Amino acid sequence: MTSTGLSMDVSSTAKRTILISGASIAGPALAYWLHRSGFAVTVVEKAGALRDGGYPIDVRGTATEVVRRMGILPRLRDAHIDSRRCTFLDADGSEVASLTPGAVAGSVEGQDLEVRRGDLAAALYAIVRDDVEFLFDDSIETLDQSEQGVDVTFHSGRQRTFDLVVGADGMHSPTRKSLFGPEEQFHRYLGYCFAIFTMPNTFGLSHELMMWNTPGKAAALYAVGDNDELHAFLNFHRPQPPLDALHNPDAQRDLVAAVFAGAGWEVPGIVDAMRGADDLFFDTAGQIRMPHWSSGRVALVGDAAYAPSFLTGQGSSLALVGVYVLANALVTHRHHTAAFAAYERDLREFVAMNQALVDNGAATLFPTTAQSLEQRNTMLRDLVTMPSATARPAHSALALPDFAPMP
């Protein structure tokens, strides 16, 4: 896939105002590109401050070029986790295979990055915090569009008008809900639920991941360094999403504990740690698939528009690329209707290829039957003796257009 960029007319964009909802990854990244192009940018974030922590994420393929052009690639290389080993275990905890992370994920050593989500967020925030208005501890309450702009009422009560609004507020986007309707219309459930949290590193793990599997269940411990903390991950197959537990943390803990009752290896201790974790994140594995990513003067970007799910490993990378394409479209096309149309035209195929990774084997690490588990284990054993895999074509399928230099 290729796309062509046009030069920027700074004078025509200097007075355009834009509100971005969400200050995680996509929001600050979009703020960077639009500020350097002459937009007056405001970012609203419901949290009281920049969010730290979070599970490690990948920056791969085309997204690596995006962060290079932003000037933060050296910082992210310094923050690269550099995991050295992935060890897969069977039901009783004995080793199935031990491989390099690149062989498992299809990443390119020396090019693709894995960083703590908080490190990426901090790097993005650092390059925009002095130039962009951030409204923390607030959110959009209502949007009222007109020919002149978007009248926004915030949860705090303040009211302002912007030329454009972009929802960069995640898979469960309030902006999408207010504009397009309930999430159920666009959510594609992929048959898994997962819980993520941190726990003490009492196993002596260092720069490595250990994953235990039985059919339909997986437990993983990930040491991203030499510190005393582990990222724990519990994943399980469920044909229908547990809607009654999605907004009830106690019900989530009870559900996970029931699913993993009687499991082997270190799973009982991991479940106990989950019970006491103060950073538990529970959700379903799913995608957001929408026929359109904009309506009037409001557009969506990143997970809000096209979440690919953690099973692809492409969520953050897809958001970074999407932000770049959207910003370039807004700079290239003065009218928002043309800009949003170009954004969708230039990005749709890339999104489709990356979302299709879940149908092309991305979920093979979490088999749901004994037969598929044995097939996966055979594949892992074969990988031990094979050269490291190269990146999947989907990761690098979009050639970025040139973005006009800073004036």
Side-chain angles (χ1 to χ4, degrees):
M1 295 172 59
T2 59
S3 182
T4 57
L6 302 177
S7 61
M8 175 180 63
D9 181 357
V10 175
S11 63
S12 69
T13 63
K15 295 183 180 180
R16 282 198 282 179
T17 59
I18 189 161
L19 173 67
I20 302 170
S21 176
S24 180
I25 302 300
L30 181 61
Y32 167 81
W33 290 110
L34 292 181
H35 166 73
R36 61 164 279 177
S37 304
F39 283 72
V41 184
T42 299
V43 180
V44 62
E45 167 57 50
K46 65 179 180 181
L50 193 69
R51 293 178 178 177
D52 196 7
Y55 207 75
I57 54 92
D58 296 299
V59 179
R60 298 187 291 204
T62 305
T64 307
E65 176 62 14
V66 173
V67 296
R68 186 192 70 78
R69 295 185 186 187
M70 298 179 80
I72 61 173
L73 183 57
R75 176 169 175 171
L76 296 182
R77 289 212 182 283
D78 288 342
H80 179 56
I81 291 171
D82 191 24
S83 293
R84 298 157 194 166
R85 181 171 56 193
C86 294
T87 303
F88 293 86
L89 309 172
D90 64 14
D92 64 3
S94 58
E95 183 176 309
V96 172
S98 184
L99 306 100
T100 64
V104 179
S107 56
V108 179
E109 188 173 353
Q111 297 181 28
D112 296 342
L113 300 168
E114 184 180 24
V115 297
R116 296 171 178 86
R117 194 210 62 82
D119 286 343
L120 176 57
L124 294 169
Y125 181 62
I127 59 174
V128 295
R129 62 187 174 195
D130 296 331
D131 303 310
V132 169
E133 178 187 25
F134 281 83
L135 305 176
F136 287 103
D137 199 23
D138 209 349
S139 59
I140 296 173
E141 191 75 18
T142 63
L143 298 169
D144 185 15
Q145 298 193 59
S146 69
E147 289 296 320
Q148 287 70 43
V150 186
D151 296 325
V152 179
T153 300
F154 293 91
H155 183 71
S156 62
R158 74 182 97 194
Q159 296 180 318
R160 289 171 60 178
T161 300
F162 298 88
D163 292 314
L164 302 171
V165 173
V166 175
D169 42 1
M171 184 168 181
H172 306 300
S173 166
T175 306
R176 184 187 62 236
K177 181 179 180 180
S178 67
L179 198 66
F180 292 95
E183 180 177 314
E184 292 73 26
Q185 298 180 49
F186 313 109
H187 186 274
R188 180 195 179 198
Y189 178 59
L190 297 176
Y192 296 90
C193 302
F194 65 94
I196 299 174
F197 51 96
T198 54
M199 63 179 287
N201 184 3
T202 59
F203 306 89
L205 302 182
S206 173
H207 294 275
E208 62 185 303
L209 178 142
M210 299 188 75
M211 182 181 291
W212 168 94
N213 289 87
T214 59
K217 302 174 188 178
L221 295 174
Y222 191 13
V224 300
D226 299 311
N227 57 28
D228 297 328
E229 189 175 75
L230 292 174
H231 292 278
F233 174 78
L234 294 167
N235 180 69
F236 59 96
H237 175 62
R238 195 173 182 88
Q240 298 298 323
L243 299 178
D244 55 334
L246 289 180
H247 304 291
N248 185 333
D250 289 335
Q252 294 165 9
R253 288 181 166 88
D254 290 343
L255 174 61
V256 174
V259 167
F260 286 90
W265 185 51
E266 303 289 348
V267 176
I270 298 173
V271 172
D272 286 343
M274 176 206 64
R275 286 284 194 187
D278 60 6
D279 60 352
L280 174 65
F281 178 77
F282 178 93
D283 208 346
T284 59
Q287 297 183 332
I288 296 298
R289 297 195 173 196
M290 303 184 68
H292 300 288
W293 301 331
S294 66
S295 178
R297 293 176 173 269
V298 184
L300 302 173
V301 71
D303 280 357
Y306 33 79
S309 99
F310 80 89
L311 295 172
T312 68
Q314 281 293 90
S316 296
S317 293
L318 196 55
L320 289 166
V321 174
V323 156
Y324 184 97
V325 174
L326 172 58
N328 189 66
L330 286 168
V331 171
T332 303
H333 302 275
R334 173 61 184 176
H335 197 278
H336 63 272
T337 301
F340 292 158
Y343 162 52
E344 295 204 25
R345 181 190 66 238
D346 291 345
L347 193 65
R348 275 282 175 186
E349 185 179 348
F350 185 67
V351 166
M353 290 181 68
N354 282 275
Q355 288 191 328
L357 290 173
V358 297
D359 304 314
N360 299 331
T364 55
L365 290 181
F366 307 106
T368 59
T369 67
Q371 180 181 4
S372 59
L373 178 58
E374 183 52 41
Q375 290 173 342
R376 187 214 64 173
N377 289 346
T378 299
M379 176 196 73
L380 293 174
R381 294 185 188 102
D382 290 342
L383 281 175
V384 174
T385 58
M386 292 171 59
S388 297
T390 56
R392 294 185 178 95
H395 297 173
S396 305
L398 179 66
L400 294 178
D402 291 333
F403 210 96
M406 294 181 66

